Amino acid sequence: MALEAAYRCLRASTGEVPDLRVPRFDAIIFVSAKQNYLTSRGFRFRSRVQRTLRDMFHEIARTLNQSRITQSPPEEQRSIVAEILAKQPTLLIVDNLETVEDKDQVLDFLDADLTPSTKVIITTRERVLAHSLIRLEELTREEALELLAYEAQEKGASLTRERMETIYERIGGIPA
């Protein structure tokens, strides 16, 4: 769901799909601590995994082409990243927060250092206390099957009801 939101924001930001209800950003950054991802052929390992705040800063530097971040001493990177992000509307997606090694430092940075021009989406399987948090609960069976049918149609895939039921049984109501 976070990726779908990001793609909608991207399409609105580039003017591909003008929609005044969708926020526009100059930058969209995806940071993930997820070690693997699911494909139609099973699980695949990710080549780039961001497990620490410093890894997150490196991904921000790479995405924004801001080598100044990584060339600065580690103790200065936090303020430099905050300064750079404050200059442009940015969507920052932090995926799989539960597997981040220094979760408290990451949450502190996201809560204390970012200006309102940076919007953050955090995905996690753990309950996290934060203000402005929108919690996604498990989907009902029918909601999950409806989402699966929609996603299959969007991607031009053919899924039988039986296959969707199998997927649902595997992931439960998690909006994966």
Side-chain angles (χ1 to χ4, degrees):
M1 292 181 88
L3 283 177
E4 178 62 25
Y7 280 119
R8 286 183 186 197
C9 291
L10 176 63
R11 289 189 293 269
S13 298
T14 61
E16 179 185 336
V17 179
D19 188 340
L20 297 177
R21 298 170 299 162
V22 178
R24 287 161 191 73
F25 298 97
D26 291 343
I28 298 175
I29 304 167
F30 185 79
V31 177
S32 182
K34 189 180 295 187
Q35 295 180 358
N36 52 45
Y37 59 99
L38 181 62
T39 69
S40 59
R41 295 183 182 156
F43 285 99
R44 300 280 185 226
F45 288 99
R46 294 186 75 239
S47 58
R48 281 197 319 263
V49 177
Q50 293 87 30
R51 307 259 338 227
T52 65
L53 182 61
R54 188 162 182 191
D55 292 341
M56 188 169 88
F57 291 163
H58 282 253
E59 185 62 24
I60 292 169
R62 189 189 69 72
T63 303
L64 299 179
N65 197 24
Q66 288 283 342
S67 58
R68 178 178 141 209
I69 296 168
T70 54
Q71 292 171 352
S72 299
E75 63 273 7
E76 294 176 19
Q77 290 179 2
R78 183 175 174 144
S79 62
I80 292 170
V81 169
E83 172 193 323
I84 290 169
L85 292 177
K87 293 180 181 177
Q88 61 188 349
T90 303
L91 175 61
L92 175 60
I93 301 169
V94 180
D95 186 42
N96 260 52
L97 181 68
E98 73 274 8
T99 59
V100 169
E101 293 173 8
D102 54 356
K103 188 181 337 179
D104 290 336
Q105 289 180 7
V106 169
L107 288 172
D108 182 57
F109 170 74
L110 297 175
D111 190 45
D113 291 274
L114 299 180
T115 65
S117 66
T118 301
K119 305 300 181 205
V120 180
I121 296 175
I122 298 171
T123 68
T124 183
R125 289 178 173 82
E126 297 176 341
R127 296 211 178 250
V128 178
L129 297 177
H131 63 280
S132 303
L133 184 69
I134 299 172
R135 189 173 319 283
L136 294 178
E137 300 297 336
E138 290 181 3
L139 300 174
T140 66
R141 174 182 227 86
E142 285 310 310
E143 289 170 336
L145 295 174
E146 186 177 314
L147 178 61
L148 284 167
Y150 172 80
E151 287 298 320
Q153 180 182 4
E154 283 288 303
K155 292 170 178 50
S158 175
L159 281 179
T160 65
R161 174 77 179 200
E162 181 180 320
R163 183 72 177 134
M164 288 190 296
E165 291 279 352
T166 303
I167 294 170
Y168 174 78
E169 292 301 323
R170 194 104 196 240
I171 63 172
I174 299 170

